[in-house]
Amino acid sequence: MSTTERPRILVVGGGYVGLYAARRILKKMRYGEATVTVVDPRSYMTYQPFLPEAAAGSISPRHVVVPLRRVLPKAEVLTGRVTSIDQDRKVANVSPLVGDAYELPFDYLVIAMGAVSRTFPVPGLAENGIGMKGVEEAIGLRNHVLEQLDKADSTQDEEARRKALTFVFIGGGFAGAETIGEVEDMARDAAKYYPNVKREDMRFVLVDAAPGILPEVGPKLGEWGLEHLKKRGVEVYLNTSMESCVDGHVVLKNGLEVDSSTIVWTAGVKPNPVLSRFGLPLGPKGHVDVDAAMQVKGMDYAWAAGDNAQVPDLASDKEGAFCPPNAQHALRQAKVLGDNVISGMRGFPQGKYKHANKGAVAGLGLHKGVAMIVFGKTRIKLRGRLAWYFHRAYHGMAVPTWNRKIRVFADWTLGMFLKREVVSLGAMEHPRGEFYEAAAPVTAAALGKSTASAPADNSKATADSRADSPVDGKGEKATASS
């Protein structure tokens, strides 16, 4: 950490707003004018629109994330959590990954913590649900789905097989519709390599409390997306919700009950609840209350933007409207926010954020998608393969750094000529499991259980092999004494 006497600009969060705002500040700042410190529990920024494609294996997970230290070489990047902020003293309490918590003084503050999954007290959700907010969850979902195909192909238990091949997705917005579209596509391709599993054996269920899906692209394209998913065999239940999923037994409010080993939760987001400990003015839904310049109301040294702030939407015709929580606004807000921080430091007037919606794009699997492109008052609605091209082109250019852009386009180009990988790496969830089993000392009780359960003619061989195992390295006596 810096020990200089320069003013410190503390950026809490390394997501869209945190990364882009810090880059903008460093670009506009004079040499030695201030120290920029970014605090985040992860050392990388995740480009979340690519998570469904990462879950389907269309993009390498490493290319979905951007390392903060590489992109912000002139900033302090601290891997930890800001657990509370004392606004009177201008001190943040930082809890690092290891070691004791410490206080970090600051002069200017940028709140960019983003959002977390919006959950409800549904019995069994915490134990069985899978989110889609991070690259770890995308990798885990991919491995999990392919592992279910492995199980179904290998078992003769019809009930276990049916449960393994039932996939339930809660939430029909961008995250839910794109994820189920990509995963269904992957599972369909993977089934070609499983002699005992066909697409007809799988059951995909999409649930949403709203009357339609993909509201971001408008009702007509949302309806097309709904019919498209249905044609692919996806069961869609609208105007309903999940009441419980204890032990994988999913119960919907409309009375439907299914057993599933895969429950993906994408039912919206909410501001990070830790904001309540930051001493900031919050709106009714927990967002930081800011003005059009993204300055926290009542604080001339603090700014906030993105999913954790309610930024007035000056381009909207509706009075009192706020900018929606999407990447399109977050990326643009971050740049204006960065300029405003520099202006605030130097005592200059700050610019207001105003951005008219440019449309929305969504991918529903390979060569399938919907897109709404806005040019002034003209709205162009696309669907199918052409919309999918727009989806990839827009996000391919929006992902930060040319390093990641090139790698993502390389992944897509290779995918045109090479078949999709369908290998499950479920062991990644517990990478030390096999080593631990090999290295753990063999107890007398475990040895007795093993030899007792073995056939009589093999019991001596089992004991001898244990005694000669290189794990303990002490031969038969060591095993007996253990």
PDB file of all heavy atoms in Angstrom, residues 126-145:
ATOM      1  N   ALA A 126     -30.705 -22.225  -0.928  1.00  0.00           N
ATOM      2  CA  ALA A 126     -29.300 -22.018  -0.577  1.00  0.00           C
ATOM      3  C   ALA A 126     -28.484 -23.291  -0.745  1.00  0.00           C
ATOM      4  O   ALA A 126     -27.312 -23.247  -1.136  1.00  0.00           O
ATOM      5  CB  ALA A 126     -29.190 -21.506   0.863  1.00  0.00           C
ATOM      6  N   GLU A 127     -29.097 -24.445  -0.469  1.00  0.00           N
ATOM      7  CA  GLU A 127     -28.380 -25.719  -0.533  1.00  0.00           C
ATOM      8  C   GLU A 127     -28.274 -26.263  -1.954  1.00  0.00           C
ATOM      9  O   GLU A 127     -27.313 -26.968  -2.290  1.00  0.00           O
ATOM     10  CB  GLU A 127     -29.069 -26.770   0.349  1.00  0.00           C
ATOM     11  CG  GLU A 127     -29.048 -26.482   1.842  1.00  0.00           C
ATOM     12  CD  GLU A 127     -30.098 -25.448   2.263  1.00  0.00           C
ATOM     13  OE1 GLU A 127     -30.970 -25.101   1.422  1.00  0.00           O
ATOM     14  OE2 GLU A 127     -30.049 -24.992   3.414  1.00  0.00           O
ATOM     15  N   ASN A 128     -29.248 -25.960  -2.819  1.00  0.00           N
ATOM     16  CA  ASN A 128     -29.309 -26.604  -4.131  1.00  0.00           C
ATOM     17  C   ASN A 128     -29.188 -25.644  -5.311  1.00  0.00           C
ATOM     18  O   ASN A 128     -28.979 -26.100  -6.441  1.00  0.00           O
ATOM     19  CB  ASN A 128     -30.633 -27.363  -4.268  1.00  0.00           C
ATOM     20  CG  ASN A 128     -30.803 -28.426  -3.209  1.00  0.00           C
ATOM     21  OD1 ASN A 128     -30.115 -29.432  -3.196  1.00  0.00           O
ATOM     22  ND2 ASN A 128     -31.737 -28.210  -2.284  1.00  0.00           N
ATOM     23  N   GLY A 129     -29.328 -24.342  -5.085  1.00  0.00           N
ATOM     24  CA  GLY A 129     -29.333 -23.401  -6.195  1.00  0.00           C
ATOM     25  C   GLY A 129     -27.948 -23.095  -6.735  1.00  0.00           C
ATOM     26  O   GLY A 129     -26.941 -23.190  -6.035  1.00  0.00           O
ATOM     27  N   ILE A 130     -27.905 -22.756  -8.024  1.00  0.00           N
ATOM     28  CA  ILE A 130     -26.681 -22.326  -8.703  1.00  0.00           C
ATOM     29  C   ILE A 130     -26.939 -20.934  -9.277  1.00  0.00           C
ATOM     30  O   ILE A 130     -27.905 -20.739 -10.011  1.00  0.00           O
ATOM     31  CB  ILE A 130     -26.285 -23.285  -9.839  1.00  0.00           C
ATOM     32  CG1 ILE A 130     -26.102 -24.718  -9.306  1.00  0.00           C
ATOM     33  CG2 ILE A 130     -25.007 -22.818 -10.537  1.00  0.00           C
ATOM     34  CD1 ILE A 130     -25.888 -25.741 -10.408  1.00  0.00           C
ATOM     35  N   GLY A 131     -26.105 -19.972  -8.937  1.00  0.00           N
ATOM     36  CA  GLY A 131     -26.266 -18.622  -9.468  1.00  0.00           C
ATOM     37  C   GLY A 131     -25.518 -18.452 -10.774  1.00  0.00           C
ATOM     38  O   GLY A 131     -24.838 -19.367 -11.254  1.00  0.00           O
ATOM     39  N   MET A 132     -25.630 -17.249 -11.367  1.00  0.00           N
ATOM     40  CA  MET A 132     -24.904 -16.946 -12.603  1.00  0.00           C
ATOM     41  C   MET A 132     -24.388 -15.513 -12.558  1.00  0.00           C
ATOM     42  O   MET A 132     -24.630 -14.708 -13.449  1.00  0.00           O
ATOM     43  CB  MET A 132     -25.813 -17.148 -13.813  1.00  0.00           C
ATOM     44  CG  MET A 132     -25.878 -18.584 -14.312  1.00  0.00           C
ATOM     45  SD  MET A 132     -24.292 -19.207 -14.908  1.00  0.00           S
ATOM     46  CE  MET A 132     -24.147 -18.308 -16.454  1.00  0.00           C
ATOM     47  N   LYS A 133     -23.669 -15.190 -11.486  1.00  0.00           N
ATOM     48  CA  LYS A 133     -23.105 -13.854 -11.332  1.00  0.00           C
ATOM     49  C   LYS A 133     -21.592 -13.837 -11.519  1.00  0.00           C
ATOM     50  O   LYS A 133     -21.006 -12.781 -11.718  1.00  0.00           O
ATOM     51  CB  LYS A 133     -23.434 -13.299  -9.940  1.00  0.00           C
ATOM     52  CG  LYS A 133     -24.881 -12.874  -9.770  1.00  0.00           C
ATOM     53  CD  LYS A 133     -25.189 -11.616 -10.555  1.00  0.00           C
ATOM     54  CE  LYS A 133     -24.421 -10.419 -10.017  1.00  0.00           C
ATOM     55  NZ  LYS A 133     -24.651  -9.198 -10.839  1.00  0.00           N
ATOM     56  N   GLY A 134     -20.960 -15.003 -11.441  1.00  0.00           N
ATOM     57  CA  GLY A 134     -19.508 -15.048 -11.536  1.00  0.00           C
ATOM     58  C   GLY A 134     -19.035 -16.147 -12.457  1.00  0.00           C
ATOM     59  O   GLY A 134     -19.771 -17.085 -12.771  1.00  0.00           O
ATOM     60  N   VAL A 135     -17.774 -16.029 -12.890  1.00  0.00           N
ATOM     61  CA  VAL A 135     -17.227 -17.028 -13.808  1.00  0.00           C
ATOM     62  C   VAL A 135     -17.101 -18.382 -13.127  1.00  0.00           C
ATOM     63  O   VAL A 135     -17.204 -19.437 -13.772  1.00  0.00           O
ATOM     64  CB  VAL A 135     -15.858 -16.546 -14.354  1.00  0.00           C
ATOM     65  CG1 VAL A 135     -14.805 -16.503 -13.244  1.00  0.00           C
ATOM     66  CG2 VAL A 135     -15.389 -17.416 -15.508  1.00  0.00           C
ATOM     67  N   GLU A 136     -16.919 -18.371 -11.795  1.00  0.00           N
ATOM     68  CA  GLU A 136     -16.845 -19.639 -11.079  1.00  0.00           C
ATOM     69  C   GLU A 136     -18.152 -20.405 -11.205  1.00  0.00           C
ATOM     70  O   GLU A 136     -18.163 -21.630 -11.366  1.00  0.00           O
ATOM     71  CB  GLU A 136     -16.537 -19.389  -9.595  1.00  0.00           C
ATOM     72  CG  GLU A 136     -15.285 -18.568  -9.336  1.00  0.00           C
ATOM     73  CD  GLU A 136     -15.540 -17.075  -9.322  1.00  0.00           C
ATOM     74  OE1 GLU A 136     -16.676 -16.651  -9.664  1.00  0.00           O
ATOM     75  OE2 GLU A 136     -14.620 -16.330  -8.983  1.00  0.00           O
ATOM     76  N   GLU A 137     -19.272 -19.687 -11.131  1.00  0.00           N
ATOM     77  CA  GLU A 137     -20.572 -20.335 -11.250  1.00  0.00           C
ATOM     78  C   GLU A 137     -20.814 -20.839 -12.669  1.00  0.00           C
ATOM     79  O   GLU A 137     -21.410 -21.898 -12.864  1.00  0.00           O
ATOM     80  CB  GLU A 137     -21.667 -19.347 -10.837  1.00  0.00           C
ATOM     81  CG  GLU A 137     -21.630 -18.989  -9.364  1.00  0.00           C
ATOM     82  CD  GLU A 137     -22.555 -17.852  -8.995  1.00  0.00           C
ATOM     83  OE1 GLU A 137     -22.620 -16.878  -9.761  1.00  0.00           O
ATOM     84  OE2 GLU A 137     -23.211 -17.933  -7.941  1.00  0.00           O
ATOM     85  N   ALA A 138     -20.343 -20.091 -13.670  1.00  0.00           N
ATOM     86  CA  ALA A 138     -20.495 -20.535 -15.053  1.00  0.00           C
ATOM     87  C   ALA A 138     -19.717 -21.825 -15.299  1.00  0.00           C
ATOM     88  O   ALA A 138     -20.225 -22.776 -15.928  1.00  0.00           O
ATOM     89  CB  ALA A 138     -20.024 -19.441 -16.012  1.00  0.00           C
ATOM     90  N   ILE A 139     -18.473 -21.886 -14.808  1.00  0.00           N
ATOM     91  CA  ILE A 139     -17.674 -23.104 -14.947  1.00  0.00           C
ATOM     92  C   ILE A 139     -18.326 -24.252 -14.196  1.00  0.00           C
ATOM     93  O   ILE A 139     -18.429 -25.379 -14.698  1.00  0.00           O
ATOM     94  CB  ILE A 139     -16.244 -22.872 -14.416  1.00  0.00           C
ATOM     95  CG1 ILE A 139     -15.539 -21.778 -15.221  1.00  0.00           C
ATOM     96  CG2 ILE A 139     -15.439 -24.153 -14.466  1.00  0.00           C
ATOM     97  CD1 ILE A 139     -14.208 -21.359 -14.628  1.00  0.00           C
ATOM     98  N   GLY A 140     -18.788 -23.955 -12.969  1.00  0.00           N
ATOM     99  CA  GLY A 140     -19.431 -24.988 -12.169  1.00  0.00           C
ATOM    100  C   GLY A 140     -20.688 -25.530 -12.827  1.00  0.00           C
ATOM    101  O   GLY A 140     -20.951 -26.742 -12.799  1.00  0.00           O
ATOM    102  N   LEU A 141     -21.479 -24.633 -13.441  1.00  0.00           N
ATOM    103  CA  LEU A 141     -22.709 -25.075 -14.107  1.00  0.00           C
ATOM    104  C   LEU A 141     -22.392 -25.975 -15.289  1.00  0.00           C
ATOM    105  O   LEU A 141     -23.042 -27.008 -15.482  1.00  0.00           O
ATOM    106  CB  LEU A 141     -23.515 -23.859 -14.567  1.00  0.00           C
ATOM    107  CG  LEU A 141     -24.795 -24.165 -15.350  1.00  0.00           C
ATOM    108  CD1 LEU A 141     -25.753 -24.991 -14.512  1.00  0.00           C
ATOM    109  CD2 LEU A 141     -25.470 -22.874 -15.818  1.00  0.00           C
ATOM    110  N   ARG A 142     -21.409 -25.607 -16.075  1.00  0.00           N
ATOM    111  CA  ARG A 142     -21.028 -26.427 -17.227  1.00  0.00           C
ATOM    112  C   ARG A 142     -20.591 -27.826 -16.787  1.00  0.00           C
ATOM    113  O   ARG A 142     -21.061 -28.840 -17.315  1.00  0.00           O
ATOM    114  CB  ARG A 142     -19.905 -25.745 -17.999  1.00  0.00           C
ATOM    115  CG  ARG A 142     -19.281 -26.615 -19.077  1.00  0.00           C
ATOM    116  CD  ARG A 142     -18.196 -25.853 -19.817  1.00  0.00           C
ATOM    117  NE  ARG A 142     -17.387 -26.759 -20.622  1.00  0.00           N
ATOM    118  CZ  ARG A 142     -17.775 -27.270 -21.774  1.00  0.00           C
ATOM    119  NH1 ARG A 142     -18.961 -26.979 -22.260  1.00  0.00           N
ATOM    120  NH2 ARG A 142     -16.981 -28.076 -22.454  1.00  0.00           N
ATOM    121  N   ASN A 143     -19.686 -27.874 -15.815  1.00  0.00           N
ATOM    122  CA  ASN A 143     -19.221 -29.172 -15.319  1.00  0.00           C
ATOM    123  C   ASN A 143     -20.366 -29.976 -14.718  1.00  0.00           C
ATOM    124  O   ASN A 143     -20.459 -31.191 -14.896  1.00  0.00           O
ATOM    125  CB  ASN A 143     -18.120 -28.970 -14.275  1.00  0.00           C
ATOM    126  CG  ASN A 143     -16.828 -28.459 -14.894  1.00  0.00           C
ATOM    127  OD1 ASN A 143     -16.523 -28.739 -16.046  1.00  0.00           O
ATOM    128  ND2 ASN A 143     -16.071 -27.696 -14.117  1.00  0.00           N
ATOM    129  N   HIS A 144     -21.243 -29.295 -14.016  1.00  0.00           N
ATOM    130  CA  HIS A 144     -22.359 -29.970 -13.353  1.00  0.00           C
ATOM    131  C   HIS A 144     -23.314 -30.590 -14.377  1.00  0.00           C
ATOM    132  O   HIS A 144     -23.743 -31.735 -14.227  1.00  0.00           O
ATOM    133  CB  HIS A 144     -23.108 -28.982 -12.467  1.00  0.00           C
ATOM    134  CG  HIS A 144     -24.332 -29.537 -11.825  1.00  0.00           C
ATOM    135  ND1 HIS A 144     -24.289 -30.316 -10.682  1.00  0.00           N
ATOM    136  CD2 HIS A 144     -25.647 -29.457 -12.166  1.00  0.00           C
ATOM    137  CE1 HIS A 144     -25.515 -30.674 -10.353  1.00  0.00           C
ATOM    138  NE2 HIS A 144     -26.359 -30.163 -11.238  1.00  0.00           N
ATOM    139  N   VAL A 145     -23.663 -29.831 -15.431  1.00  0.00           N
ATOM    140  CA  VAL A 145     -24.599 -30.339 -16.431  1.00  0.00           C
ATOM    141  C   VAL A 145     -24.022 -31.551 -17.145  1.00  0.00           C
ATOM    142  O   VAL A 145     -24.702 -32.573 -17.335  1.00  0.00           O
ATOM    143  CB  VAL A 145     -24.955 -29.222 -17.443  1.00  0.00           C
ATOM    144  CG1 VAL A 145     -25.711 -29.796 -18.631  1.00  0.00           C
ATOM    145  CG2 VAL A 145     -25.793 -28.150 -16.758  1.00  0.00           C
TER     146      VAL A 145
END
